[in-house]
Amino acid sequence: MNNKTFKRKIYDRMLQWKQDSDGDSALLVKGARRVGKSTIVKEFAEQEYDSCIFIDFSIASKEVHALFEDISDLNYIFLRLQMIYQVELHERRSVIVFDEVQTEPLARQAIKHLVKDHRYDYIETGSLLSIRKNIQNIVIPSEETRIRMLPMDYEEFRWALGDTVTSGLLKNVFESGKSLGDGMNRRLMRDFRLYMLVGGMPQAVNEYLVTNNFSRVDQMKRNILDLYEEDFRKIDSSGRAGMMFCSIPAELMKNASRFQVSSIDSNMRESRSADLISDMLDSMTIDIAYHADNPSVGMSLARDPGRYKLFLSDTGLFVTLAFRDKDFTENTIYERLLSDTLPANLGYVYENMVAQMLRASGNELFYYTMPSDTSNHSYEIDFLLSRGNKICPIEVKSSGYRTHKSLDVFSEKFSERVLRKYLVYTKDLRKDADVVMVPMYMVPYL
């Protein structure tokens, strides 16, 4: 299959590092498996340097691994690398890439001395970088500029489809506050739902572009999910991490106010579940939203570490995981989501999508629940954003339903703290009194 190299926003951040650092730090690109780290780093190295030695430690020879057991003679190491990879290095004009650096911790530890030597630039890529076995007995270098690589966002997805215009226009429309019209919104939502189904994993996007076949795309995503589960088994032999990962769609469907660890293992200690969550977050396959006990600008200070919701970092993978028990030919989720006939009880797919977009825009995720005085029902604000010295509550609807009782109750309770109120839904941009009704595809501009 012809694998395409897609335009990614992280390239500009890498270029900024090269210009600002000038060799004073290594660049560490971290992200989930199959998110495209190696591809973008290789492209960057080939485009921005005279020469590059690309060391993939997952397949490197024993000879290459052994070079980092003793780094007292850097001249010898550089000579051997040039001979092994048949690449000539040029001082201040070449880069050495440590791909999958988590599989050779000693190479990561050597970064301190390699950067100090200052002859060449260094870029590392890795996943599961903080897992205990990957950092045991090494000194983590402080000479690293670390950036996080996420699945392709909606704008990058549109670029991959050859559309370089829509995202910029949508941003202008959002800032103007003008409606697009119901017909245009229906077309834009249809395009957006395609992104929800395919997702932002480059291999899945490539499969869609090459084959135009959802069955093939779904199989590619199943392969990625299998890879993630294998990783979870490596870091947690009990299997609980994998079970927690696989239960994320089911937990969201319950519409509960928190992720119920007891549904995985009723005997699991809170400390153990916290360790597993930490490792899962390090894999960058999931995102977490904490309950903000006191919703204000400093929500990190008021978060409840034992009360949280989990999301998948890629909604395309979320869709496949949620219905992985069915063969693709029996699975109606693709047809229903694309045709906008998704049942109301599957609205959590949209909630995961909003979580993904907010994280891609650099936001931490928080939510808030309030008990009702008149019933057993609780009001919930799905997401809270901090903007300046105020907060913006967000309520997510999976349809065009315009009621926003949770927003109204929250705003009445915390009126002095609220800057803007958003209802994210599937219809056109408009206002209902002081509530901004935002179509899903405009979430990146909140």
Side-chain angles (χ1 to χ4, degrees), residues 38-200:
S38 302
T39 300
I40 195 68
V41 165
K42 190 170 185 178
E43 180 190 13
F44 181 82
E46 292 173 348
Q47 293 289 329
E48 306 298 335
Y49 292 89
D50 289 354
S51 66
C52 163
I53 291 180
F54 191 94
I55 307 173
D56 182 349
F57 281 115
S58 68
I59 59 173
S61 66
K62 292 181 180 179
E63 180 182 8
V64 171
H65 283 275
L67 287 174
F68 297 93
E69 294 176 2
D70 180 359
I71 60 169
S72 60
D73 188 348
L74 292 182
N75 288 330
Y76 173 75
I77 292 176
F78 295 143
L79 178 63
R80 293 296 299 133
L81 288 175
Q82 290 176 90
M83 293 180 67
I84 293 170
Y85 288 93
Q86 292 293 290
V87 173
E88 184 178 357
L89 294 172
H90 308 283
E91 188 167 340
R92 301 304 316 132
R93 293 185 289 117
S94 297
V95 61
I96 300 176
V97 175
F98 293 166
D99 193 38
E100 303 291 356
V101 72
Q102 77 277 0
T103 62
E104 183 43 79
L106 290 177
R108 188 179 182 196
Q109 179 174 259
I111 284 294
K112 175 182 179 67
H113 305 284
L114 294 170
V115 167
K116 184 178 180 181
D117 176 75
H118 208 257
R119 266 179 274 186
Y120 314 114
D121 280 359
Y122 300 90
I123 302 177
E124 308 163 87
T125 78
S127 55
L128 300 170
L129 287 162
S130 299
I131 301 302
R132 192 172 297 108
K133 70 175 184 178
N134 292 334
I135 58 175
Q136 194 170 15
N137 301 322
I138 72 165
V139 177
I140 302 299
S142 58
E143 296 78 7
E144 286 178 336
T145 298
R146 304 171 188 178
I147 58 176
R148 173 186 174 111
M149 188 171 189
L150 300 172
M152 297 168 69
D153 65 19
Y154 185 49
E155 185 173 21
E156 291 173 323
F157 180 77
R158 297 306 308 173
W159 291 345
L161 270 57
D163 176 9
T164 60
V165 176
T166 298
S167 294
L169 293 176
L170 289 178
K171 183 177 181 181
N172 291 336
V173 170
F174 175 78
E175 291 174 349
S176 72
K178 297 179 180 178
S179 298
L180 286 163
D182 291 338
M184 177 61 71
N185 175 73
R186 281 193 295 271
R187 184 181 73 79
L188 290 169
M189 276 303 306
R190 182 190 63 213
D191 293 342
F192 183 74
R193 286 192 292 269
L194 175 64
Y195 171 60
M196 294 176 66
L197 288 170
V198 175

